[in-house]
């Protein structure tokens, strides 16, 4: 009944009058601005260690069907392995016990801080990661190593077990988490860049001593706030052979409570804010590029310390995509949207109860749709992304649109476009020139308003209660040989394929079914047919009512 109500609400929303903004003409550039070539798995998901078992299951035999569906929706749309990062503040102070027979237990010796929960954890976490990858599809894992107490050498056995258990699925090990906040968080009385350089030098040596080569395996510094990459490079940080340079960023936080800034949705729907948000480490990028070292945004989301009342709105679906594409246009090599324990408002998904992930009827967060959208945006053999700066959107806070061009890996041919209409209740026409393609196909990510939390759809489908996609997958094709117009309701995003949509993902990506069993075509179709009949019936009633008004 709930799904029927949402479908009816969407139908009713479609009957609302929408004021049209003046059309925007799109000019397709001949070449991409030279940037890093990125893979189609550019956007991954970041997870807090302390709540990881409540989302992935307590052991290798208990992978929650809902989570399998959620992740397979991403993986099915990618040619490269889905990127997963596990870590966070709590990881940096947690203790790894190779003999522990349980997934994890909260460390009783520390004060519980919801933003920094220390745990004792064992190798079962690695078994769970492998088991989920076996079920969902290949994954690339970034895994955190605790550095806050380097004298304990706890990262040494964890490195050894992680490298051997995950094998080729291990992408990199993140050495420490936000060391630039050790002092401000009260973890250390004094700690500066020289101290950090000493600690990471020692870590490389100790890991090498156990027979694991840390070169091109470890990643850092995973800074967020107080240090700069360029200053670290000046101090000798880059004399070590890091695999990635990693940074993290949130534009707002509620660490000290709610205020006007962290509840201001207007910040997140101004495209002109995204570039400055991502450029705070831009001084270090030339060195990284010269060295051929990728820069990774290993954690981001809207409002740090648990989110605010705006973090679960459709505006954040749009903002999550905007940050990802802008990062791709600014030489980042990958980004990770962060999720945590149940009831954090910026989460991608929540189980129905905190400690039993096997239960059905999950809640899907608005941010989930950002990753789902991005799973279809990029090309399998590599892409370059360029911000088109339509309507001066890179600089004007009054612009209500943004657009990106997705080039092939040579940067010489536009293959896809992304249009973003942030205007609430106002549609926007994007006018493509002649020669854009004989047939142009597009899919929409839409919601009734920027503050919508549940009635969100991608290509005509909405995520159901167990991670399954409900509804008929929809692609609109238009002739564009002599030019064409793409209309996006406000608010909404469009992914436009200049090859007529033939390269879009098609099919049913529900892998574990809606009840923990393999999905059956007849059951899926019956659900959709039943839903369709209810919508049609509602439409007939509404049409009759409208006829009676005139």
């Amino acid at each position: 009944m709930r799904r029927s109500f949402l479908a009816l609400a969407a139908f009713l929303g479609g009957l609302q009058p929408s004021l049209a903004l003046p059309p925007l003409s799109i000019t397709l550039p001949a070449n991409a601005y030279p940037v890093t070539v990125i893979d189609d798995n550019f956007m991954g998901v970041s997870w807090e260690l302390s709540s990881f078992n409540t989302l992935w299951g307590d052991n290798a035999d208990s992978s929650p069907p809902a989570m399998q569906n959620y992740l397979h929706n991403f993986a099915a749309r990618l040619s490269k392995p889905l990127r997963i990062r596990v870590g966070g503040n709590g990881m940096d102070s947690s203790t790894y016990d190779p003999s522990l027979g349980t997934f994890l237990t909260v460390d009783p010796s520390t004060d519980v801080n919801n933003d920094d929960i220390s745990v004792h954890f064992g190798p079962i976490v690695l078994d769970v990661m492998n088991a989920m990858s076996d079920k969902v599809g290949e994954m690339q894992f970034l895994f955190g190593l605790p550095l806050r107490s380097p004298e304990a050498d706890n990262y040494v056995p964890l490195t050894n077990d992680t490298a051997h258990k995950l094998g080729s699925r291990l992408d990199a090990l993140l050495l420490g988490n936000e060391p630039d906040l050790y002092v401000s968080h009260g973890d250390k009385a004094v700690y500066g860049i020289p101290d950090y350089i000493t600690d990471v030098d020692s870590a490389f040596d100790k890991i090498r001593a156990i027979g694991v080569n840390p070169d091109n395996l470890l990643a850092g510094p995973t800074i967020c706030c107080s240090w700069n990459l360029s200053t670290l490079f000046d101090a000798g940080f880059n004399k070590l052979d890091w695999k990635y340079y990693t940074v993290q960023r949130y534009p707002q936080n509620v660490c000290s409570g709610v205020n006007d800034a962290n509840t201001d949705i207007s910040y997140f729907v101004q495209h002109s804010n995204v570039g400055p948000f991502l450029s705070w480490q831009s001084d270090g990028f030339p060195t990284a590029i010269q060295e051929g070292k990728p820069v990774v945004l290993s954690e981001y989301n809207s409002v740090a310390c648990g989110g605010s009342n705006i973090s679960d709105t459709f505006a954040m679906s749009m903002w999550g995509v905007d940050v990802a594409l802008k990062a791709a246009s600014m030489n980042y090599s990958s980004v990770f949207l962060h999720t945590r324990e149940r009831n954090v408002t910026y989460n991608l998904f929540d189980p129905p109860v905190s400690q039993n992930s096997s239960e059905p009827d999950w809640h899907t967060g608005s941010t989930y749709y950002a990753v789902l959208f991005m799973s279809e945006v990029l090309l399998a053999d590599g892409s370059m992304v360029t911000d088109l700066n339509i309507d001066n959107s890179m600089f004007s806070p009054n612009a209500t649109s943004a657009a990106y061009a997705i080039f092939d890996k040579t940067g010489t041919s536009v293959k896809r476009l992304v249009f973003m209409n942030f205007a609430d209740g106002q549609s926007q026409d994007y006018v493509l020139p002649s020669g854009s393609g004989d047939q142009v196909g597009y899919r929409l990510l839409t919601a009734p308003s920027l503050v919508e939390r549940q009635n969100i759809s991608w290509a005509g489908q909405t995520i159901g209660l167990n991670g399954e996609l409900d509804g008929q997958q929809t692609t609109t094709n238009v002739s564009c040989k002599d030019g064409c117009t793409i209309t996006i309701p406000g608010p909404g995003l469009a992914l436009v394929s200049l090859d007529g949509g033939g390269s879009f993902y098609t099919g049913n990506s529900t892998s574990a079914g809606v009840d923990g069993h393999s999905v059956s075509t007849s059951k899926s179709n019956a659900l959709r047919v039943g839903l369709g009949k209810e919508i049609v019936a509602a439409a007939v009633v509404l049409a009759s009512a409208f006829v009676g008004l005139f």
Side-chain angles (χ1 to χ4, degrees):
M1 187 65 186
R2 175 177 173 271
R3 292 173 189 162
S4 302
F5 174 77
L6 291 178
L8 179 58
F11 179 84
L12 288 169
L15 295 177
Q16 299 297 319
S18 177
L19 301 176
L21 294 165
L24 292 172
S25 296
I26 305 301
T27 300
L28 302 182
N31 298 285
Y33 183 81
V35 290
T36 301
V37 175
I38 56 172
D39 291 325
D40 63 348
N41 62 350
F42 175 78
M43 190 175 193
V45 183
S46 168
W47 314 71
E48 198 76 23
L49 172 66
S50 58
S51 55
F52 194 48
N53 63 319
T54 69
L55 298 170
W56 282 41
D58 285 313
N59 56 66
D61 297 322
S62 64
S63 301
M67 186 55 65
Q68 292 180 51
N69 289 333
Y70 278 125
L71 296 181
H72 191 259
N73 289 334
F74 302 150
R77 289 162 169 77
L78 301 172
S79 69
K80 304 294 191 301
L82 174 62
R83 295 180 191 258
I84 298 293
R85 175 255 184 171
V86 181
N89 280 327
M91 164 68 85
D92 207 8
S93 60
S94 292
T95 301
Y96 177 69
D97 182 353
S99 64
L100 190 66
T102 58
F103 191 125
L104 59 81
T105 57
V106 175
D107 189 344
S109 65
T110 59
D111 294 331
V112 175
N113 175 348
N114 285 339
D115 299 308
D116 189 357
I117 301 174
S118 299
V119 300
H120 292 282
F121 67 105
I124 289 178
V125 63
L126 306 172
D127 297 332
V128 167
M129 292 163 70
N130 273 326
M132 186 67 79
S133 186
D134 289 340
K135 292 179 174 66
V136 170
E138 282 306 315
M139 298 179 180
Q140 286 183 352
F141 294 114
L142 271 72
F143 199 80
L145 297 177
L147 186 68
R148 204 180 298 172
S149 302
E151 66 279 357
D153 294 348
N154 198 233
Y155 53 75
V156 175
L158 179 56
T159 297
N160 183 71
D161 287 358
T162 304
H164 287 94
K165 276 185 171 286
L166 295 183
S168 61
R169 288 171 173 165
L170 178 60
D171 187 21
L173 292 169
L174 299 167
L175 186 57
N177 189 79
E178 299 176 350
D180 50 333
L181 296 184
Y182 284 172
V183 173
S184 63
H185 282 175
D187 300 311
K188 294 179 182 290
V190 177
Y191 195 81
I193 289 177
D195 304 297
Y196 174 69
I197 296 295
T198 297
D199 286 344
V200 297
D201 280 346
S202 176
F204 268 73
D205 290 340
K206 290 176 180 178
I207 290 171
R208 200 183 308 277
I210 63 170
V212 176
N213 185 4
D215 296 337
N216 205 37
L217 174 64
L218 300 187
T222 318
I223 54 175
C224 70
C225 311
S226 303
W227 296 351
N228 294 315
L229 279 177
S230 56
T231 306
L232 282 159
F233 293 153
D234 291 341
F237 174 80
N238 55 333
K239 72 179 184 292
L240 297 170
D241 190 10
W242 298 93
K243 183 167 188 179
Y244 301 133
Y245 296 137
T246 52
V247 296
Q248 305 187 159
R249 193 70 167 167
Y250 289 74
Q252 300 292 342
N253 70 80
V254 289
C255 305
S256 299
V258 173
N259 56 45
D260 290 342
N262 58 39
T263 56
D264 179 14
I265 204 169
S266 66
Y267 170 91
F268 295 92
V269 294
Q270 292 177 17
H271 179 65
S272 58
N273 289 329
V274 179
F277 165 68
L278 288 166
S279 63
W280 97 107
Q281 293 295 341
S282 58
D283 287 349
F285 272 70
T287 298
I289 292 169
Q290 183 179 10
E291 295 174 352
K293 296 294 183 183
V295 179
V296 172
L297 185 63
S298 52
E299 178 179 324
Y300 82 99
N301 212 309
S302 57
V303 181
C305 293
S308 73
N309 63 318
I310 61 174
S311 296
D312 57 349
T313 63
F314 182 63
M316 300 312 162
S317 309
M318 301 184 70
W319 180 78
V321 171
D322 202 8
V323 170
L325 290 172
K326 188 66 178 182
S329 76
M330 294 174 62
N331 286 305
Y332 287 85
S333 67
S334 60
V335 299
F336 291 79
L337 197 61
H338 194 54
T339 199
R340 277 180 41 182
E341 69 274 7
R342 184 173 180 267
N343 288 333
V344 168
T345 55
Y346 63 59
N347 280 349
L348 277 69
F349 23 59
D350 277 345
V353 293
S354 296
Q355 298 300 323
N356 190 352
S357 57
S358 65
E359 291 292 322
D361 296 347
W362 287 47
H363 169 75
T364 304
S366 63
T367 48
Y368 180 85
Y369 288 89
V371 185
L372 185 64
F373 181 93
M374 283 298 301
S375 298
E376 290 196 44
V377 169
L378 302 170
L379 307 176
D381 57 351
S383 308
M384 287 189 181
V385 177
T386 294
D387 188 331
L388 295 180
N389 191 32
I390 59 169
D391 201 26
N392 197 34
S393 59
M394 289 172 59
F395 309 102
S396 172
N398 298 318
T400 57
S401 282
Y404 294 92
I406 314 301
F407 285 80
D408 64 7
K409 63 183 177 182
T410 69
T412 59
S413 178
V414 179
K415 299 298 185 182
R416 295 176 182 172
L417 299 163
V418 173
F419 297 137
M420 313 185 76
N421 176 16
F422 295 103
D424 224 344
Q426 294 180 289
S427 64
Q428 178 68 68
D429 288 345
Y430 301 85
V431 182
L432 294 177
S434 61
S436 297
D438 290 345
Q439 287 285 326
V440 167
Y442 65 94
R443 289 179 169 179
L444 296 176
L445 178 64
T446 60
S449 71
L450 289 170
V451 296
E452 177 62 40
R453 289 172 166 81
Q454 295 184 26
N455 187 18
I456 302 170
S457 68
W458 164 235
Q461 296 182 310
T462 296
I463 304 298
L465 292 177
N466 294 286
E468 77 281 9
L469 282 162
D470 282 347
Q472 186 65 45
Q473 192 176 67
T474 303
T475 302
T476 302
N477 292 293
V478 295
S479 175
C480 207
K481 184 176 182 180
D482 298 318
C484 58
T485 298
I486 307 295
T487 300
I488 305 179
L493 282 71
L495 172 59
V496 182
S497 176
L498 301 184
D499 66 356
S503 59
F504 285 141
Y505 171 82
T506 58
N508 183 0
S509 56
T510 301
S511 61
V514 297
D515 55 4
H517 303 289
S518 297
V519 67
S520 70
T521 303
S522 59
K523 178 175 181 179
S524 179
N525 286 342
L527 176 65
R528 292 172 182 169
V529 169
L531 181 60
K533 287 180 179 178
E534 292 168 347
I535 296 173
V536 170
V540 170
V541 172
L542 287 168
S544 300
F546 273 99
V547 169
L549 292 176
F550 296 98

